[in-house]
Amino acid sequence: MKFATDKDFMQSLQTLTIKGGKFGRAAAQVIGVLRLSQRKTELAEVFAGLVTTNHGESRIQHCTKYDLQGSCRLITVQHDGICLLLFAGDHEGCDEWLETNKGKRFHLKETQDGRIIQSTRVTESVANAASRLQTVSDFSTGALWEKLPLRYFETMTVGLAPELVAELKAISSIVSDEELVPLACQAPTSGQSDLLYDVFDLLRGGFVQEAKARVDRFEGSVVPLENASPAALETAVSGDEVMLVEDVDPVLFEHFVKTASYEKWMMYLHPSQRGFANKDFNGPTKLTGVSGSGKTSVLIHRAIRLARLYPNEKVLVLTLNRALSRMIHDLVSLALGDGTPLNLEVKSFWELCREKLAGIEPHNHLLYTDKTVATNPFAVSEYIDDIWAEYYEQRNNNRDAKVLAPLHRTLLVRSIYPCDYIRQEFDYLRSALAPSEREQYLALEREGRAIPLEERYRRCVIDGLVAWERKMTDVGAVDYLGLTTALYKHLEKLEPSYRCILVDEMQDFGSVELKIVRNLVRPDVNDIFLSGDPAQSVLTKYHRLSDAGIDVVGRSHSILKNYRNSREILNAASELFKRNKDMFASAPGIEILDPEFANFSSSPPLLLTAPSLKDEVLFALGHLHAKHNDSVNHSFKSCIAVCGLAQSELEDLSRQISLDVLNGDTNVVAGKVFLSDLEQTKGFEFDSMIILNCAAAAIPHPHLPAEESYRELCKLYVAMTRAKRELIISYSREASAFLGKVVDLFTIGEWHDYADAREQKTLRIRSGRFSAEPVLQNSELDGEAVLMCPEAVGLSSAAQEKLTQLVAGNNRYRGNKQIGWKTFDSFFESLRKSPALHTTNFVSRAMWDEYVGLHGRLALRSVEPKPATGRRILTLKR
């Protein structure tokens, strides 16, 4: 006799346990049954001491109920060869569950993962109202039949009149039985009538998987459990709905029934993925999967198994994001408690580098701490941003970045903002090559970088990077790629110190980081396990596994089923990729996986507008305040992500509105509402996700190559797919071009029609990609300082050269004629008032027109956008 648990069983047992008292004692009886079922094979032995209820149960075929303490019940379905544990609860809870699951039947289905057990609900006779299924509408939009793959709809409508098929196609989630029953009864046979009713009833409740299973059962492509042979049952494996008790980890289970609910989907929702956790691989292995497919869950289960398999050797779970590292650590601790293997470590790459460097360079221990990093120990902090600005803009008499001037000027001509592009190029170079290898950069094929760079400009990058690293050393700070570089210098000293390393979000690791990973674990069975999603590549890095000595040929796998997002949210996110696929032409090796939708629906995502980013923030806060107050789910979590803000601005905003920023210090398991940029949301999930400032001025970056904007599209996709049931995207003035092709998948409106703004007397925030306060006011800018401003993007070489000659920071005269100016403002005003100076200073008409545009752009840099008026929905560009 095999024993298995249905998808509702664990949750019901946890609920019973938490209620305590007599209910807790009843739960203990059920736990005893589960323990025995893992060791015994006979019904009498497993249910010893329990008696069946006096009354039978007709709502579910082959159902047997057992009496528990405190008037509680254990509901099972028993066939020859298998017993399914379905639900445990008090009398009222059990009755409600049985009514909801009336007509539930199980069958065996052949899949690529093996023979799994599925269920669906079946009406005995559509003509009998008492026997009909009664699901509650999920109020999703669109025609119900479109939720099914076409082959399923064609199977269920074979032989029907075209007029009836047309009427069936018009059915939506608000269809009533008074409308549905007469349509179903027009089918030529009672069996097909029952089928039509059941499928559309299940679809209006959002139960797409059950609806498909109902069609499978009708066409005979599955085997009802009551008809399954003992041999077939013996080969059954765990699936999404039914898990064999032999696959239930007893330690995880004991803690699961006693813990809060946030971590439960991470640890229990994906039994069908257990094969990836339990299989031994003869070398490095790569698991890719769509967002929400349970990749991190697989990785956690696998890490726990390997730590137990190799109890005398260390197993490491490694992430790039410190907040994600902490969350995984907390999940393991909450799930296992005192049962956590002592040899299992969870670290961010930052922490790993610091730990190794502390042993190799103990004299530099102060450099490799995060004390100098103001608020975010991940070093993507306001302090690093400030150091970068000081270095790049050559403030405080530091002229090291002067070596970048030729590259800076050619990028301006190409309409690229050099400050951001060159910083990205530094990261790209550091992720590709160690300092001793950087001469190879001169000939490196820069995959994913759209702007070609001649050798002389690449030399500028190498020299500028050396100066930037020296600058950070001088001020006693380091970013995480700086740590990577520092550790890589000692690569030959890094001996294998781990039996297994499991890397989450592997697509964000560059080749240099992966070389370090390769050195820390010796080649062996189960040595390296890489998990990630190429579609979530958000960092400008050189990523090539072969360059790191990691060979996954023949050991690459994919999982496509999404469990996290509602059908509507995932569809919007997936279509965002598909309809903007032209942006991926230059993306190196990014494969967009086509997801299988989760088995639930929600309202369509919202696309809302407000007069300014400040208003967006206040409306979002008001909405979430009401949402959390109304929620009966105490584990309800939400996040506000903001596009286009520097980390320093995000930190400043967090202090003003009293929200935690997602970083290495964030306790996601304990917290409720968080603030983040787009990329730091990766790896998390939230009941409600609000993305602000999704405006044309903020995303994509207006002055970086359009060919590389796919990374920002990936960031937006990442943030969208964090939402389980509610997604709101918000903008002011003009929406991002990314959204123009998917507006049909959103409900469009204005914030004030959906929420009340939170009252806050002062809130200082500026929208737009370049929103930080300038160090120098316009009236103080000389020619060199002007060229550092984003407003100078697009200026011709001649205009740049003339500007630096004429506006060199001091007033100069030849006789009574001025030939040099201290500031751009005074230069512009002089030439405006005296056109004769154009000829004297060799300023052509075309050049003057460039300066007029530049002056106008600079004049707008500190002006807040004027609030929009009226109730008009702002136009989206397509």
Side-chain angles (χ1 to χ4, degrees):
M1 173 72 73
K2 271 186 175 288
F3 292 85
T5 64
D6 190 41
K7 58 184 174 61
D8 293 336
F9 176 75
M10 292 294 189
Q11 180 61 61
S12 71
L13 186 52
Q14 182 189 53
T15 302
L16 204 58
T17 300
I18 291 173
K19 289 176 72 173
K22 62 182 182 181
F23 305 106
R25 292 191 292 274
Q29 289 180 283
V30 179
I31 292 173
V33 167
L34 191 66
R35 286 174 179 159
L36 286 171
S37 69
Q38 292 183 310
R39 305 195 309 267
K40 307 290 186 179
T41 59
E42 298 297 325
L43 278 176
E45 293 178 301
V46 171
F47 292 101
L50 298 184
V51 296
T52 58
T53 56
N54 292 328
H55 302 286
E57 182 53 62
S58 61
R59 285 170 286 190
I60 296 179
Q61 288 185 355
H62 308 284
C63 180
T64 300
K65 295 186 296 186
Y66 292 91
D67 281 325
L68 303 173
Q69 293 188 33
S71 299
C72 295
R73 305 282 188 273
L74 170 60
I75 302 172
T76 71
V77 159
Q78 300 176 9
H79 296 284
D80 289 340
I82 192 163
C83 172
L84 305 176
L85 308 176
L86 306 185
F87 190 86
D90 59 24
H91 183 274
E92 182 179 350
C94 287
D95 192 66
E96 182 180 340
W97 185 87
L98 285 164
E99 192 62 30
T100 300
N101 289 273
K102 179 170 56 179
K104 191 178 186 74
R105 298 186 188 178
F106 294 89
H107 53 255
L108 286 176
K109 180 179 176 67
E110 294 285 351
T111 72
Q112 61 180 10
D113 297 321
R115 190 175 283 132
I116 64 172
I117 301 174
Q118 283 186 333
S119 70
T120 188
R121 282 170 277 178
V122 178
T123 290
E124 292 291 343
S125 171
V126 69
N128 181 359
S131 74
R132 290 200 295 260
L133 310 185
Q134 291 292 331
T135 63
V136 178
S137 173
D138 65 358
F139 297 102
S140 57
T141 58
L144 291 182
W145 78 277
E146 292 179 336
K147 294 183 178 182
L148 288 174
L150 182 60
R151 71 173 185 85
Y152 283 93
F153 184 75
E154 291 177 342
T155 296
M156 61 188 279
T157 56
V158 168
L160 299 185
E163 296 80 9
L164 177 56
V165 174
E167 289 189 81
L168 293 173
K169 285 187 172 182
I171 294 175
S172 70
S173 64
I174 58 173
V175 66
S176 66
D177 268 13
E178 286 74 17
E179 301 168 281
L180 181 56
V181 171
L183 289 175
C185 288
Q186 292 182 45
T189 67
S190 60
Q192 195 172 14
S193 293
D194 295 341
L195 172 71
L196 291 175
Y197 176 83
D198 287 350
V199 170
F200 281 101
D201 179 71
L202 292 166
L203 290 175
R204 70 177 166 185
F207 301 103
V208 179
Q209 187 63 44
E210 275 196 79
K212 290 161 62 177
R214 180 66 176 89
V215 179
D216 288 339
R217 195 174 180 99
F218 174 78
E219 70 174 352
S221 61
V222 297
V223 180
L225 277 195
E226 59 268 27
N227 299 334
S229 68
L233 287 173
E234 189 61 33
T235 60
V237 298
S238 293
D240 292 340
E241 294 183 55
V242 176
M243 183 195 295
L244 300 178
V245 297
E246 62 201 56
D247 290 332
V248 176
D249 186 306
V251 178
L252 284 176
F253 171 74
E254 290 285 348
H255 286 274
F256 170 78
V257 297
K258 300 173 184 176
T259 58
S261 60
Y262 174 70
E263 69 278 8
K264 69 187 177 189
W265 93 264
M266 276 286 197
M267 304 305 292
Y268 269 98
L269 191 61
H270 309 105
S272 65
Q273 310 301 353
R274 192 169 293 272
F276 293 112
N278 291 339
K279 186 176 180 180
D280 291 322
F281 296 100
N282 187 28
T285 304
K286 182 174 72 172
L287 177 65
T288 57
V290 298
S291 176
S293 59
K295 299 182 297 297
T296 299
S297 176
V298 170
L299 183 138
I300 292 173
H301 279 288
R302 182 170 180 82
I304 293 169
R305 183 183 76 85
L306 293 177
R308 291 173 177 165
L309 183 63
Y310 308 114
N312 298 319
E313 300 176 90
K314 292 193 293 184
V315 172
L316 174 65
V317 172
L318 192 62
T319 72
L320 206 62
N321 184 319
R322 283 193 69 191
L324 179 57
S325 170
R326 174 166 180 169
M327 185 196 73
I328 292 175
H329 179 275
D330 290 346
L331 285 172
V332 173
S333 297
L334 283 169
L336 298 181
D338 294 337
T340 304
L342 297 178
N343 61 326
L344 177 59
E345 299 179 4
V346 181
K347 286 186 173 73
S348 68
F349 197 76
W350 167 274
E351 293 167 313
L352 178 68
C353 288
R354 280 180 54 195
E355 177 186 287
K356 294 299 180 183
L357 283 166
I360 299 172
E361 299 182 10
H363 56 286
N364 274 340
H365 68 283
L366 290 178
L367 177 62
Y368 302 124
T369 65
D370 47 31
K371 290 182 180 179
T372 54
V373 180
T375 56
N376 185 351
F378 189 50
V380 188
S381 73
E382 57 184 304
Y383 191 56
I384 294 293
D385 287 343
D386 288 344
I387 297 170
W388 169 257
E390 182 180 292
Y391 159 77
Y392 192 83
E393 295 174 17
Q394 302 172 49
R395 304 178 198 163
N396 301 327
N397 298 316
N398 185 318
R399 306 288 288 174
D400 287 350
K402 190 73 175 175
V403 297
L404 293 167
L407 176 57
H408 179 97
R409 294 194 180 185
T410 190
L411 289 175
L412 285 178
V413 174
R414 302 187 212 185
S415 296
I416 303 299
Y417 183 48
C419 181
D420 287 355
Y421 192 83
I422 291 174
R423 191 174 182 183
Q424 289 180 359
E425 191 69 15
F426 282 1
D427 285 351
Y428 189 85
L429 172 52
R430 289 195 289 172
S431 68
L433 300 166
S436 61
E437 305 165 337
R438 286 178 183 168
E439 287 297 312
Q440 299 175 31
Y441 170 71
L442 298 176
L444 182 70
E445 183 181 352
R446 297 163 57 249
E447 294 181 342
R449 298 296 273 167
I451 303 299
L453 296 181
E454 301 171 17
E455 182 174 328
R456 58 177 171 147
Y457 295 132
R458 295 193 186 204
R459 178 64 65 187
C460 290
V461 173
I462 294 174
D463 294 342
L465 177 55
V466 171
W468 166 233
E469 291 173 332
R470 183 170 60 244
K471 170 69 174 178
M472 284 193 289
T473 300
D474 290 344
V475 299
V478 65
D479 61 3
Y480 96 90
L481 271 173
L483 276 182
T484 303
T485 300
L487 182 58
Y488 191 85
K489 294 176 184 176
H490 306 287
L491 189 64
E492 71 284 352
K493 297 180 183 178
L494 296 179
E495 297 181 354
S497 50
Y498 295 96
R499 176 59 181 78
C500 314
I501 297 181
L502 301 93
V503 180
D504 201 20
E505 304 294 354
M506 58 88 183
Q507 73 279 354
D508 289 337
F509 282 71
S511 293
V512 168
E513 295 134 295
L514 291 170
K515 287 179 184 178
I516 292 174
V517 170
R518 177 67 278 179
N519 266 46
L520 290 174
V521 57
R522 67 180 181 274
D524 206 336
V525 174
N526 299 327
D527 55 351
I528 296 175
F529 185 81
L530 306 171
S531 171
D533 178 7
Q536 298 184 46
S537 300
V538 300
L539 301 179
T540 310
K541 286 189 173 182
Y542 180 89
H543 173 93
R544 197 178 269 183
L545 294 180
S546 58
D547 283 7
I550 298 175
D551 180 9
V552 295
V553 174
R555 293 182 299 276
S556 293
H557 307 274
S558 295
I559 47 179
L560 302 178
K561 179 66 178 291
N562 173 280
Y563 295 90
R564 176 196 299 137
N565 315 112
S566 73
R567 185 182 189 88
E568 289 73 15
I569 290 172
L570 183 59
N571 187 46
S574 298
E575 288 298 313
L576 183 78
F577 265 150
K578 292 176 184 177
R579 300 182 191 182
N580 289 286
K581 63 182 179 182
D582 55 309
M583 294 184 180
F584 289 89
S586 62
I590 291 185
E591 177 189 4
I592 307 302
L593 301 173
D594 196 17
E596 297 175 19
F597 292 107
N599 193 33
F600 68 97
S601 295
S602 69
S603 299
L606 293 172
L607 180 59
L608 304 180
T609 185
S612 69
L613 177 54
K614 174 182 176 181
D615 293 298
E616 292 180 60
V617 171
L618 295 178
F619 275 120
L621 291 172
H623 173 75
L624 290 180
H625 177 75
K627 197 87 175 177
H628 280 265
N629 283 346
D630 293 343
S631 178
V632 296
N633 179 6
H634 298 298
S635 63
F636 187 91
K637 293 181 186 295
S638 52
C639 180
I640 298 174
V642 190
C643 304
L645 292 190
Q647 185 70 21
S648 57
E649 296 172 301
L650 199 66
E651 300 279 357
D652 180 61
L653 176 60
S654 74
R655 288 188 286 270
Q656 294 184 69
I657 61 178
S658 301
L659 288 186
D660 289 332
V661 177
L662 280 180
N663 59 37
D665 290 333
T666 308
N667 189 335
V668 179
V669 173
K672 298 294 183 185
V673 186
F674 305 92
L675 183 69
S676 181
D677 59 12
L678 300 186
E679 54 265 45
Q680 292 296 316
T681 63
K682 184 183 296 185
F684 301 105
E685 65 164 34
F686 301 98
D687 299 280
S688 180
M689 185 78 206
I690 302 178
I691 304 172
L692 305 183
N693 203 28
C694 203
I699 184 171
H701 195 304
H703 296 314
L704 287 182
E707 299 91 336
E708 294 188 37
S709 62
Y710 67 86
R711 292 192 186 91
E712 296 195 74
L713 188 67
C714 288
K715 291 179 184 180
L716 183 56
Y717 169 82
V718 165
M720 290 173 67
T721 54
R722 302 308 98 191
K724 291 195 290 186
R725 292 187 175 272
E726 181 182 61
L727 171 64
I728 300 175
I729 294 182
S730 170
Y731 68 97
S732 57
R733 297 171 71 82
E734 181 183 328
S736 166
F738 287 157
L739 299 172
K741 296 179 180 179
V742 291
V743 290
D744 57 307
L745 303 177
F746 289 79
T747 298
I748 300 175
E750 294 186 81
W751 261 115
H752 59 71
D753 289 328
Y754 285 84
D756 294 322
R758 189 173 91 174
E759 292 185 9
Q760 185 153 335
K761 292 182 179 179
T762 59
L763 181 61
R764 187 174 176 275
I765 183 172
R766 298 158 63 85
S767 60
R769 175 64 71 161
F770 313 106
S771 55
E773 287 285 2
V775 175
L776 297 175
Q777 298 304 309
N778 292 350
S779 60
E780 302 173 299
L781 297 173
D782 64 14
E784 291 284 358
V786 166
L787 295 186
M788 289 295 170
C789 299
E791 291 80 7
V793 167
L795 213 59
S796 68
S797 293
Q800 292 181 51
E801 186 65 30
K802 184 62 67 174
L803 190 62
T804 56
Q805 289 176 7
L806 298 178
V807 189
N810 60 310
N811 293 318
R812 291 178 287 114
Y813 298 86
R814 181 180 297 149
N816 60 354
K817 291 184 178 179
Q818 188 168 6
I819 59 170
W821 284 263
K822 182 178 181 180
T823 68
F824 177 64
D825 259 6
S826 60
F827 161 74
F828 182 83
E829 285 302 313
S830 294
L831 267 67
R832 185 180 65 82
K833 292 177 180 178
S834 180
L837 290 174
H838 292 207
T839 303
T840 303
N841 293 286
F842 303 102
V843 175
S844 69
R845 177 58 186 270
M847 199 179 296
W848 173 247
D849 288 342
E850 287 190 71
Y851 293 150
V852 170
L854 174 60
H855 189 270
R857 293 191 295 273
L858 287 169
L860 292 173
R861 74 193 310 231
S862 59
V863 177
E864 290 285 349
K866 293 181 180 180
T869 57
R871 297 172 58 83
R872 182 171 59 89
I873 304 297
L874 302 183
T875 303
L876 293 105
K877 285 188 176 181
R878 290 182 178 271

